[in-house]
Amino acid sequence: MLSFQLHAKMRVEPQNWWVGMQNNTLQIMLHDQGIAKQQWQLASYSGVSLKSVTKTDNPNYAFLNIEINPIAKPGVLVFSSKSGEHFEYQLHARKVNSSKRNGFDSSDTIYLINPDRFANGDSSNDTVKGMLEAANPIERGGRHGGDIQGVINALPYLQKLGVTQLWLTPPLENDMPSYSYHGYAITDFYTIDPRMGSNELYRELSVKAKQHGIGIVMDLVLNHFGSEHEWMTDKPTSDWINFNGEFAKGKHATSHARQTIQDPHASEFDKRQFSDGWFVATMPDLNQRQPLLANYLIQNAIWWIEYADLSGIRVDTYSYSDKAFLADWTKAIMTEYPAFNIVGEEWTTNPAIASYWQAGKVNNDGYTSSLPSVMDFSLQESLIQALNEEESWNTGWVKVYQSIANDFLYPNPDNLLVFADNHDMSRVYTQLKQDLAKTKMAMTMLLTTRGIAQMYYGTEVLLDNTGSNDHGDIRIDFPGGFKGQPSNAFTGQGLSDEQHDMQQTITTLLNFRKQSPAIAQGKLVHFSPEAGIYSYARISEQQTLLVFLNKNTAAKNWSLAYLQEVIGQHKQAVSLFTEQQINITDTVTLAPMSATVLIIE
């Protein structure tokens, strides 16, 4: 808890810290009118010292550089200035084994939610007095009222479905005049948006989710922020924002030319246009080369990990930030939490570019990353193409086969995030032209291949945006999450037969993933597609899975002779979906347009 004298409006970030951290330094940012004129001192506190104060070209900011030695105990630091101002600063004890926390891994299924569109658990915060945008549930780009309480209320459903991790698009304050529901125009990096709940409620979500066997993955934005943030009118330093805090379309907009980062022939001008350019005028681009800002962003991530007991981070628009900063940011977090996991969004279907960012990659330019995971956009695109194309030597399943064959480029392909769709693209059911059989094949493949599975909310009940590519329609309201809806995915009421079928298929797959050693640790062996069938095995010491994806419109009596290297002496398997015993000594019958998963114990 903070207390102030005189400068009651002084902003302190981060608002508290912890003893026993691996990094024993802390930088506290103070923001108030003329604060740099004050001369600060720290009252005597064992193991803690104020080493220096950094001032900038803006007299409204001061940065207190603190050292917290291992002997320091939890308690309250008291800072005072010679002119009489003072404030108290809390040092907390860390959760037991906080540094040893395990991040999400290949045994997990991450369920991606746009909280504004998932469930309205507290209608009293739909519109909050003093905030720039009110609720407008009939507008596709408006705020619909979903919130953190709605996610908490849904935890029993998510546990039954088989979800083990939740990724919420940023719930942080987005106090923007319009189109603020998505969360990526942050106006306060340390505060949950009041229309979503509160910091305390977000922490309650984390606690209650863990009681349901579910971890929390926070979506962090390092590249940009919202134009209504106080930094736009009172920058901590003159170089805090790229292009001097000004946006001119065509001049200061990002080129999106991500290949310039790896291109050995790229000009410095092109590199800067990519990394320094803004997305839009409402999302100013941060200059992570500014050391005070870099440290601010590192501390912000660590603060949320400790405060909300996170099990992972997803980083938005990863490669757009300064790459030297990204190396420092990931290293700082992974040094503090060696078993943690972070996935970066690098939206490219070229694995040569995506793999550049994964930890362990030996890059020609000497760049060293500590980022454990990247998103596998190559596989996502290939899977949709494979299911929509006719089979030939260079179309259909061969696209998936070739995409996965590029795994030699990655230091750790088992730690890639695989997905069929997300909040920025049409839903998988839409991309597959509302074909239930194809959608079931797509999800079976993604939930049984190598990597960490991510599923977009509502996929289990075939949410659809056919006829519109507008993000507001892609991020459709979850059935049952809002009053007046004709169907309810939580209870099953009003769902079609196809929706029930898909929901049961997903429930079976997700709950199997939770206890399958072949999924969690198994080696992937896949076979060249033939006759419209793509097949592969997941092999661990305890269990082997055989997966057959049959695009044919007729049943196939399929010979298993080519699978001897993975079947060995086994003669029986159990079908995941039918629970029947299957003889695997000769052939199996594959239903038309179907996914077959056989379990060999």
Side-chain angles (χ1 to χ4, degrees):
M1 181 176 180
L2 298 172
S3 65
F4 307 104
Q5 182 177 343
L6 295 180
H7 284 263
K9 295 181 180 180
M10 182 170 66
R11 187 172 180 87
V12 179
E13 294 180 317
Q15 51 263 58
N16 66 269
W17 204 246
W18 293 264
V19 297
M21 302 294 286
Q22 178 73 21
N23 184 347
N24 68 349
T25 64
L26 169 66
Q27 191 167 77
I28 303 173
M29 182 171 78
L30 306 182
H31 181 207
D32 194 15
Q33 189 70 30
I35 194 72
K37 297 177 182 178
Q38 307 303 324
Q39 296 182 30
W40 293 97
Q41 59 187 13
L42 171 63
S44 179
Y45 193 101
S46 179
V48 181
S49 56
L50 173 59
K51 291 297 185 181
S52 63
V53 178
T54 300
K55 299 179 182 180
T56 74
D57 49 17
N58 185 338
N60 297 332
Y61 288 88
F63 294 80
L64 308 184
N65 301 305
I66 313 299
E67 184 174 278
I68 307 172
N69 292 314
I71 64 169
K73 303 296 182 185
V76 178
L77 306 179
V78 179
F79 294 91
S80 60
S81 71
K82 290 187 177 181
S83 56
E85 294 89 345
H86 79 272
F87 70 94
E88 296 178 352
Y89 194 87
Q90 187 78 42
L91 287 180
H92 295 298
R94 300 179 75 184
K95 181 181 177 181
V96 176
N97 292 325
S98 176
S99 64
K100 298 179 181 178
R101 70 183 63 227
N102 290 315
F104 59 85
D105 59 32
S106 57
S107 67
D108 282 308
T109 302
I110 302 174
Y111 192 81
L112 165 58
I113 291 175
N114 291 111
D116 180 68
R117 305 302 171 87
F118 184 65
N120 190 345
D122 181 4
S123 59
S124 70
N125 65 8
D126 291 359
T127 294
V128 174
K129 185 178 180 180
M131 302 203 77
L132 295 176
E133 186 176 20
N136 188 359
I138 62 172
E139 173 62 38
R140 61 172 47 155
R143 299 193 74 94
H144 289 194
D147 48 34
I148 293 170
Q149 187 60 55
V151 180
I152 292 175
N153 296 346
L155 288 173
Y157 166 79
L158 296 170
Q159 180 182 28
K160 183 179 179 182
L161 188 66
V163 171
T164 60
Q165 300 283 343
L166 285 180
W167 157 19
L168 275 60
T169 54
L172 296 175
E173 182 192 277
N174 274 234
D175 195 10
M176 302 290 288
S178 63
Y179 201 62
S180 66
Y181 78 91
H182 56 74
Y184 291 97
I186 295 166
T187 55
D188 189 328
F189 283 86
Y190 280 98
T191 302
I192 296 295
D193 195 297
R195 293 161 296 189
M196 291 285 171
S198 65
N199 285 21
E200 293 76 17
L201 191 65
Y202 185 70
R203 185 159 56 178
E204 181 181 333
L205 167 63
S206 180
V207 170
K208 290 186 174 178
K210 283 179 175 57
Q211 294 170 357
H212 289 81
I214 299 172
I216 299 295
V217 177
M218 193 171 201
D219 197 340
L220 292 184
V221 186
L222 306 176
N223 177 68
H224 53 268
F225 64 108
S227 57
E228 294 298 321
H229 196 293
E230 62 184 6
W231 289 341
M232 287 300 287
T233 56
D234 199 12
K235 293 182 290 186
T237 66
S238 59
D239 59 350
W240 200 261
I241 305 168
N242 282 322
F243 288 114
N244 296 316
E246 299 176 355
F247 178 75
K249 191 174 183 180
K251 183 177 181 182
H252 298 154
T254 179
S255 65
H256 298 291
R258 54 185 25 83
Q259 67 276 5
T260 57
I261 302 301
Q262 295 85 11
D263 180 2
H265 314 294
S267 66
E268 293 302 317
F269 174 83
D270 286 342
K271 292 177 184 179
R272 186 174 181 224
Q273 283 301 121
F274 168 65
S275 63
D276 288 11
W278 300 22
F279 282 4
V280 290
T282 54
M283 291 183 177
D285 202 78
L286 289 165
N287 175 22
Q288 302 88 9
R289 293 181 296 274
Q290 196 340 295
L292 295 171
L293 171 60
N295 200 48
Y296 178 95
L297 294 171
I298 290 169
Q299 289 185 166
N300 179 252
I302 292 172
W303 190 89
W304 279 111
I305 294 169
E306 289 288 329
Y307 177 82
D309 198 17
L310 302 179
S311 62
I313 289 173
R314 180 263 184 183
V315 183
D316 182 64
T317 57
Y318 187 81
S319 65
Y320 288 80
S321 296
D322 178 74
K323 73 175 189 177
F325 158 76
L326 290 171
D328 292 340
W329 185 87
T330 52
K331 183 179 180 181
I333 294 172
M334 297 308 297
T335 298
E336 199 68 61
Y337 311 97
F340 197 62
N341 210 346
I342 309 169
V343 59
E345 180 199 29
E346 170 61 308
W347 195 327
T348 176
T349 58
N350 184 348
I353 292 177
S355 64
Y356 177 89
W357 300 104
Q358 193 177 34
K361 183 66 181 284
V362 178
N363 291 304
N364 286 341
D365 63 358
Y367 183 73
T368 301
S369 174
S370 296
L371 179 71
S373 176
V374 293
M375 301 171 73
D376 194 348
F377 282 93
S378 170
L379 183 58
Q380 188 278 331
E381 179 186 67
S382 299
L383 179 59
I384 299 301
Q385 290 176 346
L387 286 164
N388 282 332
E389 293 174 348
E390 295 294 326
E391 288 293 308
S392 75
W393 69 273
N394 66 346
T395 58
W397 284 126
V398 70
K399 297 282 185 70
V400 169
Y401 182 86
Q402 290 171 341
S403 177
I404 293 177
N406 282 323
D407 278 0
F408 70 90
L409 293 167
Y410 293 99
N412 186 3
D414 291 331
N415 208 30
L416 299 178
L417 190 78
V418 298
F419 57 100
D421 59 4
N422 63 26
H423 58 299
D424 288 325
M425 60 176 66
S426 284
R427 289 178 170 274
V428 60
Y429 187 56
T430 304
Q431 293 184 64
L432 295 175
K433 304 178 173 121
Q434 300 173 306
D435 189 311
L436 173 64
K438 289 181 178 179
T439 306
K440 288 168 71 173
M441 272 193 278
M443 296 310 297
T444 301
M445 191 266 169
L446 287 167
L447 293 169
T448 56
T449 191
R450 61 46 173 166
I452 304 155
Q454 173 249 296
M455 187 177 80
Y456 195 27
Y457 78 96
T459 298
E460 71 272 25
V461 288
L462 301 172
L463 290 193
D464 183 22
N465 62 284
T466 298
S468 171
N469 288 322
D470 188 275
H471 280 183
D473 292 322
I474 293 169
R475 302 159 186 173
I476 189 173
D477 290 351
F478 187 79
F482 301 84
K483 290 181 179 179
Q485 293 174 298
S487 60
N488 190 324
F490 297 123
T491 65
Q493 182 179 359
L495 297 182
S496 68
D497 289 343
E498 286 197 337
Q499 287 177 307
H500 278 295
D501 187 358
M502 189 68 191
Q503 194 175 45
Q504 184 54 54
T505 298
I506 293 295
T507 300
T508 299
L509 283 162
L510 265 56
N511 281 280
F512 174 70
R513 280 184 63 87
K514 290 166 69 172
Q515 49 79 39
S516 169
I519 295 292
Q521 300 105 22
K523 174 185 177 183
L524 172 66
V525 177
H526 68 163
F527 297 85
S528 295
E530 183 179 352
I533 295 170
Y534 176 51
S535 57
Y536 54 92
R538 298 296 306 279
I539 308 164
S540 70
E541 290 184 5
Q542 305 96 324
Q543 185 185 68
T544 295
L545 304 184
L546 305 179
V547 183
F548 303 90
L549 303 173
N550 179 21
K551 273 176 61 182
N552 295 285
T553 55
K556 285 282 188 178
N557 192 32
W558 194 245
S559 171
L560 302 181
Y562 70 102
L563 289 169
Q564 279 307 302
E565 65 182 90
V566 296
I567 292 176
Q569 300 301 312
H570 293 283
K571 298 181 180 180
Q572 294 288 319
V574 176
S575 170
L576 173 63
F577 295 120
T578 69
E579 299 182 356
Q580 294 179 324
Q581 288 279 342
I582 305 293
N583 188 308
I584 55 172
T585 58
D586 187 16
T587 62
V588 294
T589 300
L590 305 179
M593 293 296 294
S594 70
T596 300
V597 180
L598 303 181
I599 308 164
I600 303 172
E601 300 287 358

